[in-house]
Amino acid sequence: MLRFIASISFWAKRIANFAAIITVAFVALILLLQVTLRYLFSYSLPWPEEASRFAIIWVVLLMGSVLVRDQQLVTVDFFDRLWPKRVIFYRDLAYRMMLLVVLGVLFREGLSQAIAGWNMWTTALEIRWFWPYLAVPVGAGLMLVQMVCLTIEEVEVFFRKRKMHD
């Protein structure tokens, strides 16, 4: 079971990382194109700023799942060396459960907003708002998957260690 969960987590992280790298490269290219056109030819395209804004939002939400997986979210660990490992484990478990609820709500509400954006069009790109709004449920869903995988792995490791010591 743990191997399967680790595999899901690994591939979700790799795909999100790859998509974010490609998206950042896309942003760099379109902004370079826009700057070149504007300053060398006194002409600018109407869509690169809007496209880059939406792409950066996608990158941030995709990389959120990588940060969750690598446990790089902001933490306050000042007192951790003073508390027993058991207390830290249960505190972290409670934190993860709260974050799972928040991510679940973010996923649900983001999906609702994306669906509501199907009938609206962006100004410059003239695409449905669904696509920019879809970044929220996709990012929240990936973070949710990573948080579930991480929680299951840590619970299993904790109880396996505890069983060995008892």
Side-chain angles (χ1 to χ4, degrees):
M1 173 76 169
L2 192 57
R3 193 172 283 159
F4 176 70
I5 290 169
S7 176
I8 290 172
S9 177
F10 172 79
W11 284 107
K13 177 183 171 183
R14 276 195 83 172
I15 291 168
N17 218 353
F18 180 75
I21 290 168
I22 297 300
T23 306
V24 168
F26 168 74
V27 169
L29 287 174
I30 63 172
L31 290 180
L32 179 65
L33 171 69
Q34 182 72 331
V35 169
T36 303
L37 288 174
R38 185 174 293 155
Y39 290 106
L40 294 181
F41 301 103
S42 297
Y43 175 78
S44 64
L45 297 170
W47 57 269
E49 286 87 359
E50 188 174 88
S52 62
R53 186 177 323 121
F54 296 153
I56 291 298
I57 292 167
W58 270 94
V59 168
V60 167
L61 287 161
L62 287 172
M63 290 306 292
S65 68
V66 174
L67 293 174
V68 168
R69 178 66 229 166
D70 293 343
Q71 298 186 46
Q72 296 295 314
L73 297 177
V74 175
T75 59
V76 179
D77 55 2
F78 179 74
F79 293 110
D80 284 4
R81 58 192 149 97
L82 303 174
W83 293 349
K85 295 214 181 290
R86 187 180 219 179
V87 171
I88 293 170
F89 169 77
Y90 287 114
R91 180 210 57 199
D92 288 348
L93 188 61
Y95 159 74
R96 291 185 197 290
M97 292 301 130
M98 287 186 283
L99 196 52
L100 285 170
V101 169
V102 169
L103 289 171
V105 170
L106 186 61
F107 176 81
R108 187 189 72 220
E109 294 302 317
L111 190 58
S112 173
Q113 288 298 311
I115 291 168
W118 185 257
N119 295 321
M120 298 182 293
W121 300 84
T122 63
T123 306
L125 288 173
E126 296 181 4
I127 60 171
R128 295 179 189 272
W129 270 103
F130 172 82
W131 300 110
Y133 285 165
L134 190 61
V136 174
V138 168
L142 285 170
M143 286 185 261
L144 196 59
V145 166
Q146 293 293 8
M147 187 60 72
V148 166
C149 292
L150 192 61
T151 302
I152 291 170
E153 287 172 1
E154 288 193 356
V155 166
E156 190 167 319
V157 167
F158 178 80
F159 285 111
R160 190 178 322 132
K161 284 182 182 177
R162 190 166 172 220
K163 187 177 181 180
M164 288 173 56
H165 289 147
D166 288 344

